[in-house]
Amino acid sequence: MRSHGAALLGRSKVAPVSRNNAGLSTDRIIVEALRIIDGQGLRRLTMRRLGDAMEVEAMAVYHHFPLGKEQLFEAIAEYVTDVHRARTAEEEADAALGEEDGAGQGGADTGAEDAADERTWDERLRSWAQDYRAALLKHSGALPLLINRRPDTEAAVRSLELQYAAFSEAGLEGQDVVNAAAALESYVTGAVVHEVRAGGLESPHPARLDGRFPTVTGLRHTALDHEQAFTEGLERLLKGLVPGG
Amino acid sequence: MRSHGAALLGRSKVAPVSRNNAGLSTDRIIVEALRIIDGQGLRRLTMRRLGDAMEVEAMAVYHHFPLGKEQLFEAIAEYVTDVHRARTAEEEADAALGEEDGAGQGGADTGAEDAADERTWDERLRSWAQDYRAALLKHSGALPLLINRRPDTEAAVRSLELQYAAFSEAGLEGQDVVNAAAALESYVTGAVVHEVRAGGLESPHPARLDGRFPTVTGLRHTALDHEQAFTEGLERLLKGLVPGG
DNA sequence: ACCTGAACACCGTTCAAGT
DNA sequence: ACCTGAACACCGTTCAAGT
């Protein structure tokens, strides 16, 4: 995002608008690709359309992603799952609004990068889970992309550190810490997949309900509030994962 | 699978091998498509390749899936997530071996279709989860396909009925039943995604570990046994989901 | 260094035609 | 009903060329 803004600034104020140097950058390409994915769906993201969106020849993208579309996909997956970036961007936006608005939300930890997190282990896990869910939901069209190999980025390790540290503080050790973190991440990812799969449809079973499915029929009109169900399930999982739960 | 076998039989024993009626069927097409997906990856599944694999012109597939590739994808997703079919096929294979082998595994419920399940609610949930995980892992290359809209098939409702009935029996009611089922399915799906993402790599963080990540560094050599971690996490989740856990 | 433009092999899908 | 074969618009990627 930073380089995106800088590039735009550089083009409009300093350099003459020549046919080269159209102000591309990996970040800008990713952001533009996500705009297409969010608006039209993953299948409509093509190199040519991506080029068009940036008013550039499609082949220009290959200069920033020499390995082609697969590499672009990987970068998108990393971008989407980078909770820290998403959270920081959000806070900056809030702060910008706050300058007009005057009062913050009583925030004590505003701005301090990598400040010691004084919250309890369970609060840290809760908010990591909520943030990660929000990040995935924000670009749910890119969800199929993050099924490939796990990025070994700093962002990924940062999330893992947070989880390991929290579960350790909760009293777990060794294998239990690793397993608990895997279970938590599995739950959050799966919940987003579940929610996206459910799509917009309210009543999940329009037809097909005969006598063989009495319990489903009985609960047919029990709506599923995804946000509430997620939070509830998260509490249950955490309760099951820690010894004194 | 049934129609696949029947079609092959019909071709080789009854009908003369004409240029039409090449023995296609939706089931055979799906099975062949999955063979390509499992062997070469989802991206290499093209209509032409699929046709080649069945020694048929690519356009023949459109007669069985008039809406094209999207419809084929949907059918593949339904096929893969149909635990009941997968389990039945597996049991038939076991039974076929058992005829030579003599002794079964002391199985009491062999063959009886839709027989009343006498296992306790938690055993039923456990084995559903294990079966579903196995089904997804068997064709993990198709995983991106089941992120789309949820199939409203009989198989899907059957799974839901099993979950709802089990959680009801465990003492949950109304909203809690629905939420618990959502949490369970989220966990299982997410665990498979997590496992596939982890890929083959043993030590998850080759480099990039500096002083900022002490806990990750400390647990660096704690291997993650996916099967064991899944089962462990499943127990923890169930414990958290039911009242008397 | 950064982007263009033409070219190539391949793709999904339509349509008229065969049996 | 079931499949073929040609055709069309579009795609990812390579490569030589421009500035």
Side-chain angles (χ1 to χ4, degrees):
Chain A
M1 285 295 261
R2 235 183 313 268
S3 58
H4 172 195
L8 277 183
L9 204 71
R11 175 166 73 144
S12 58
K13 304 199 72 163
V14 177
V17 181
S18 71
R19 219 152 87 276
N20 319 12
N21 203 352
L24 289 198
S25 70
T26 57
D27 262 17
R28 178 150 116 86
I29 293 172
I30 292 170
V31 169
E32 213 75 43
L34 276 172
R35 194 198 309 282
I36 294 176
I37 292 174
D38 294 339
Q40 318 188 34
L42 183 58
R43 192 153 295 107
R44 291 187 63 81
L45 172 64
T46 68
M47 300 303 258
R48 292 175 215 261
R49 233 188 296 268
L50 180 55
D52 276 357
M54 301 183 296
E55 300 185 21
V56 116
E57 216 60 26
M59 289 63 202
V61 174
Y62 284 84
H63 195 266
H64 301 265
F65 296 93
L67 277 56
K69 210 179 183 186
E70 211 64 31
Q71 190 182 16
L72 174 61
F73 279 166
E74 212 165 301
I76 293 173
E78 289 177 12
Y79 185 93
V80 168
T81 54
D82 187 344
V83 237
H84 187 259
R85 178 201 49 74
R87 224 191 174 292
T88 305
E90 192 180 303
E91 276 167 7
E92 276 174 9
D94 286 356
L97 261 77
E99 280 171 12
E100 298 174 358
D101 206 73
Q105 42 194 7
D109 60 343
T110 322
E113 176 119 348
D114 285 333
D117 200 327
E118 294 173 2
R119 297 171 298 171
T120 58
W121 63 267
D122 57 313
E123 283 168 342
R124 276 177 280 146
L125 288 177
R126 255 188 284 268
S127 75
W128 174 86
Q130 297 285 356
D131 289 347
Y132 193 58
R133 169 173 178 268
L136 296 190
L137 277 178
K138 190 170 182 182
H139 302 290
S140 63
L143 225 46
L145 296 184
L146 53 79
I147 293 185
N148 295 321
R149 259 230 266 136
R150 158 183 296 271
D152 194 42
T153 58
E154 181 180 314
V157 184
R158 197 202 305 264
S159 280
L160 212 55
E161 174 67 22
L162 187 150
Q163 296 167 18
Y164 283 7
F167 281 120
S168 296
E169 206 174 308
L172 300 188
E173 285 179 1
Q175 192 75 65
D176 288 342
V177 173
V178 177
N179 287 359
L184 177 62
E185 199 162 318
S186 294
Y187 171 71
V188 178
T189 310
V192 175
V193 171
H194 195 264
E195 177 165 352
V196 171
R197 279 189 95 196
L201 71 170
E202 281 304 314
S203 49
H205 330 289
R208 214 177 280 278
L209 283 184
D210 55 37
R212 291 175 302 164
F213 311 118
T215 330
V216 174
T217 306
L219 290 166
R220 179 179 19 151
H221 294 118
T222 307
L224 179 62
D225 176 347
H226 291 289
E227 170 107 30
Q228 189 263 334
F230 172 77
T231 305
E232 184 72 20
L234 178 61
E235 293 307 317
R236 309 287 192 172
L237 177 61
L238 289 178
K239 203 179 77 167
L241 285 175
V242 296
Chain B
M1 286 296 259
R2 234 183 313 266
S3 57
H4 171 196
L8 279 183
L9 204 71
R11 176 165 71 145
S12 58
K13 303 201 72 161
V14 177
V17 180
S18 70
R19 220 152 88 273
N20 317 10
N21 203 354
L24 288 198
S25 70
T26 57
D27 263 17
R28 177 148 117 87
I29 292 171
I30 293 171
V31 169
E32 213 74 43
L34 276 172
R35 194 199 308 281
I36 294 176
I37 292 175
D38 294 339
Q40 319 188 33
L42 183 58
R43 192 153 294 106
R44 291 186 62 81
L45 172 63
T46 70
M47 299 305 259
R48 293 175 214 261
R49 234 188 295 268
L50 180 55
D52 277 357
M54 302 183 296
E55 300 185 25
V56 115
E57 216 58 28
M59 289 62 202
V61 175
Y62 284 84
H63 195 265
H64 300 267
F65 295 94
L67 275 57
K69 210 179 184 186
E70 211 64 30
Q71 190 182 14
L72 174 61
F73 280 166
E74 213 164 301
I76 293 173
E78 289 178 12
Y79 185 94
V80 168
T81 54
D82 187 344
V83 237
H84 188 260
R85 178 200 49 72
R87 225 192 174 292
T88 304
E90 192 179 303
E91 276 167 6
E92 277 174 9
D94 285 357
L97 262 78
E99 281 171 12
E100 298 176 358
D101 207 72
Q105 43 194 5
D109 59 344
T110 322
E113 175 118 347
D114 285 336
D117 200 328
E118 293 172 3
R119 297 170 299 172
T120 58
W121 63 266
D122 56 313
E123 283 168 341
R124 276 177 280 149
L125 287 177
R126 256 188 284 268
S127 74
W128 174 85
Q130 297 286 356
D131 289 347
Y132 193 58
R133 170 173 178 266
L136 295 191
L137 277 178
K138 190 169 184 184
H139 302 289
S140 63
L143 226 45
L145 296 184
L146 51 81
I147 292 186
N148 295 322
R149 258 231 266 135
R150 156 184 298 270
D152 193 42
T153 59
E154 182 179 313
V157 184
R158 197 202 305 265
S159 280
L160 212 55
E161 174 67 23
L162 186 151
Q163 295 168 18
Y164 282 7
F167 281 120
S168 296
E169 205 173 309
L172 300 188
E173 284 179 1
Q175 192 74 65
D176 288 341
V177 173
V178 177
N179 286 359
L184 177 62
E185 199 162 318
S186 294
Y187 170 72
V188 179
T189 309
V192 175
V193 171
H194 194 265
E195 177 164 352
V196 171
R197 280 189 93 196
L201 70 169
E202 280 305 312
S203 50
H205 330 288
R208 212 178 281 278
L209 283 184
D210 55 38
R212 292 174 302 164
F213 310 118
T215 330
V216 174
T217 306
L219 290 166
R220 182 178 16 151
H221 294 118
T222 307
L224 180 62
D225 176 346
H226 292 289
E227 170 108 29
Q228 189 262 335
F230 173 77
T231 305
E232 183 73 19
L234 177 61
E235 293 307 318
R236 309 286 192 174
L237 177 61
L238 289 178
K239 203 179 77 168
L241 285 175
V242 296

